[in-house]
Amino acid sequence: MVEMAILAAAVCFICYLVLCAVVVIRTGKTAGLRDLAHAMRGLRAVLTLRQ
C-alpha cells in the first residue's frame, strides 16, 4: 500500500515537471511558471477542503 502511494506521488511529480516544461516551451520564458504555481496552490486548497 505504501509503495502505491510513493508511486502515485512520483507520477504526479513527473507530470508536474512535464507541465512546467510545456509552459516554458510554449511561452518562451519562465514568467508563466508563477501563474502555474498560483493555479496549483489553488487546486491544492480545493482538494484539501474536500477531506
Side-chain angles (χ1 to χ4, degrees), residues 6-51:
I6 293 171
L7 179 63
V11 168
C12 289
F13 182 69
I14 290 170
C15 289
Y16 178 72
L17 290 179
V18 169
L19 182 60
C20 289
V22 167
V23 167
V24 170
I25 290 169
R26 294 284 305 246
T27 62
K29 48 189 160 180
T30 59
L33 293 178
R34 181 179 50 210
D35 297 330
L36 179 64
H38 288 296
M40 293 303 287
R41 196 171 300 124
L43 180 64
R44 185 177 64 193
V46 168
L47 292 176
T48 56
L49 289 176
R50 295 181 67 196
Q51 292 180 358

